[in-house]
């Protein structure tokens, strides 16, 4: 099979590329490198089953050509990270909505199946835990920038489902819950790589708010296995699936585990949300998926623990740091 992955130079896309190629498929990655990185896919550049194009998913000409050559489209291209969404809401909305419009439009011409990556953010401020795919969404006010991202991804989902119902385009929507692992950057607010980076540098670990808010973290290797299985299952078309771990951990406890697993002894510094993201920022206190639906279809459940996740991120960041040091030494 030939797969087109938009946003494929991001950390999830690069791991999905690894899996698909290992299974004998061909992969073409499209990425504008706004949040992705060539470093994530450099190891694949010599593989005859791998190709890449540097460009945007909002380019009709490029998307039309790449979709024609693909059997399945995986649309991962999106604005990601709380920091990016808060700082650049226009970019987040336009990137998320317009790129999805373009991808679905051209996929529909040839009826190429599309998997759309969505997010747990679409549940908004709902307290109906654990979150079920058919549960109601509860968004915040429009003057709160945090909810622009959630709304834009919800529109993506509505578009995907509309193309399925009205035009019979095979679409699958996957709501991801805090996917973490090697190659993820803390640059845009992702908490695990940021805390690991601070611990390795013996800097205070910054935790926002009270630190009592909880999340469920899922290893990227588990996540891409779920994506691959869903793409291979025709009965998934026209459905939305939660994909993520179901074990909660508070952010302050997460920081403590990072300290323990890195062997560092930095302090934990609590930073008010207003200082981190500006006045009026709203957060979700808990975010827990109900994964009954995806488990029932593809018999999927995460196999890697939070400790596995942290250790893999630590090893990755240490290897990147050593490589950078070697480059610096060669220049000297």
């Amino acid at each position: 099979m030939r797969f087109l992955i938009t946003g494929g130079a991001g950390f999830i896309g690069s791991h999905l590329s690894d899996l698909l190629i290992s299974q004998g498929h061909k992969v073409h990655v499209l990425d504008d490198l706004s949040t992705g990185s060539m470093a994530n896919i450099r190891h694949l550049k010599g593989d005859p089953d791998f190709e890449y194009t540097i460009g945007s998913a909002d380019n009709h000409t490029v998307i039309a050509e790449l979709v024609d050559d693909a059997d399945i489209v995986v649309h991962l291209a999106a604005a990601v990270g709380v920091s990016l969404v808060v700082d650049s809401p226009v970019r987040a909305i336009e990137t998320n909505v317009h790129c999805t419009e373009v991808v679905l439009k051209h996929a529909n011409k040839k009826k190429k199946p599309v998997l759309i990556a969505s997010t747990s953010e679409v549940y908004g401020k709902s307290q109906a835990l654990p979150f079920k795919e058919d549960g109601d969404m509860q968004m915040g006010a429009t003057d709160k920038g945090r909810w622009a991202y959630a709304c834009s991804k919800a529109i993506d989902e509505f578009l995907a489902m509309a193309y399925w119902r009205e035009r019979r385009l095979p679409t699958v929507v996957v709501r991801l819950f805090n996917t973490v692992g090697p190659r993820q950057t803390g640059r845009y607010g992702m908490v695990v790589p940021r805390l690991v980076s601070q611990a390795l540098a013996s800097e205070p670990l910054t935790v926002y708010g009270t630190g009592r808010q909880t999340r469920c973290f899922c290893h990227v290797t588990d996540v891409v296995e779920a994506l691959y299985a869903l793409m291979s299952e025709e009965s998934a078309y026209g459905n939305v699936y939660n994909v993520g771990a179901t074990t909660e951990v508070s952010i302050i406890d997460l920081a403590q585990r990072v300290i323990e697993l890195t062997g560092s002894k930095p302090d934990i510094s609590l930073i008010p949300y207003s200082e981190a993201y500006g006045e009026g920022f709203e957060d979700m206190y808990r975010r827990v998926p109900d994964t009954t639906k995806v488990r029932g279809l593809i018999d999927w459940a995460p196999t890697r623990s939070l400790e596995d996740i942290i250790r893999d991120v630590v090893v990755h960041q240490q290897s990147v740091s050593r490589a950078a040091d070697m480059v610096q030494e060669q220049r000297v």
Side-chain angles (χ1 to χ4, degrees), residues 20-90:
L20 292 173
I21 290 172
S22 75
Q23 296 299 312
H25 302 293
K26 296 183 181 295
V27 172
H28 195 122
V29 158
L30 172 68
D31 204 300
D32 65 3
L33 304 182
S34 57
T35 55
S37 170
M38 287 301 298
N40 291 338
I41 57 174
R42 185 170 293 122
H43 64 288
L44 293 172
K45 288 173 65 175
D47 195 301
D49 291 329
F50 179 79
E51 295 181 306
Y52 70 94
T53 297
I54 298 176
S56 174
D58 69 0
N59 187 314
H60 284 268
T61 301
V62 171
I63 287 293
E65 179 180 345
L66 294 180
V67 166
D68 279 350
D69 290 338
D71 296 309
I72 297 178
V73 180
V74 184
H75 183 45
L76 302 180
V80 295
V82 176
S83 294
L84 177 59
V85 171
V86 170
D87 293 341
S88 306
V90 173

Side-chain angles (χ1 to χ4, degrees), residues 120-328:
S120 60
E121 290 276 334
V122 299
Y123 290 104
K125 297 192 288 184
S126 172
Q127 297 183 35
L129 294 163
F131 295 140
K132 296 184 178 182
E133 291 88 346
D134 59 356
D136 291 339
M137 301 174 182
Q138 184 181 341
M139 301 295 177
T142 55
D143 65 348
K144 307 295 184 185
R146 167 67 182 272
W147 307 114
Y149 174 70
C151 287
S152 68
K153 295 304 290 183
I155 291 172
D156 286 353
E157 294 192 20
F158 280 121
L159 274 171
M161 293 299 100
Y163 266 94
W164 165 249
R165 295 191 189 97
E166 181 180 338
R167 303 180 183 179
R168 306 314 293 173
L169 173 67
T171 59
V172 183
V173 171
V174 179
R175 292 176 183 161
L176 301 178
F177 283 71
N178 293 91
T179 304
V180 189
R183 303 176 197 159
Q184 186 179 41
T185 174
R187 179 179 173 189
Y188 304 108
M190 286 68 170
V191 63
V192 174
R194 176 173 58 78
L195 293 177
V196 168
S197 177
Q198 290 172 333
L200 292 177
S202 297
E203 299 173 351
L205 273 63
T206 52
V207 170
Y208 303 144
T210 64
R212 298 301 174 187
Q213 66 274 28
T214 66
R215 295 294 184 264
C216 301
F217 297 97
C218 194
H219 198 293
V220 65
T221 301
D222 284 323
V223 169
V224 298
E225 288 171 355
L227 299 184
Y228 180 47
L230 287 170
M231 287 184 288
S232 307
E233 181 59 66
E234 290 189 8
S235 60
Y237 297 158
N239 282 281
V240 178
Y241 296 93
N242 291 332
V243 170
T246 56
T247 302
E248 290 181 88
V249 62
S250 71
I251 303 304
I252 199 158
D253 285 344
L254 170 67
Q256 190 59 51
R257 293 197 199 184
V258 168
I259 290 172
E260 293 169 359
L261 291 170
T262 56
S264 56
K265 299 184 189 278
D267 295 327
I268 295 176
S269 177
L270 296 179
I271 307 296
Y273 280 126
S274 58
E275 184 177 330
Y277 297 121
E279 292 295 335
F281 178 83
E282 294 181 330
D283 199 11
M284 302 162 73
Y285 189 69
R286 296 174 65 198
R287 195 185 300 173
V288 187
D290 184 319
T291 56
T292 303
K293 187 175 179 181
V294 70
R295 188 169 62 250
L297 181 68
I298 60 173
D299 192 27
W300 175 89
T303 61
R304 296 158 181 87
S305 68
L306 178 60
E307 285 71 24
D308 294 330
I309 292 172
I310 295 171
R311 289 191 187 98
D312 284 354
V313 173
V314 169
V315 169
H316 173 71
Q317 290 199 11
Q318 289 174 329
S319 66
V320 170
S321 179
R322 285 194 298 269
D325 289 343
M326 289 177 63
V327 171
Q328 184 64 30

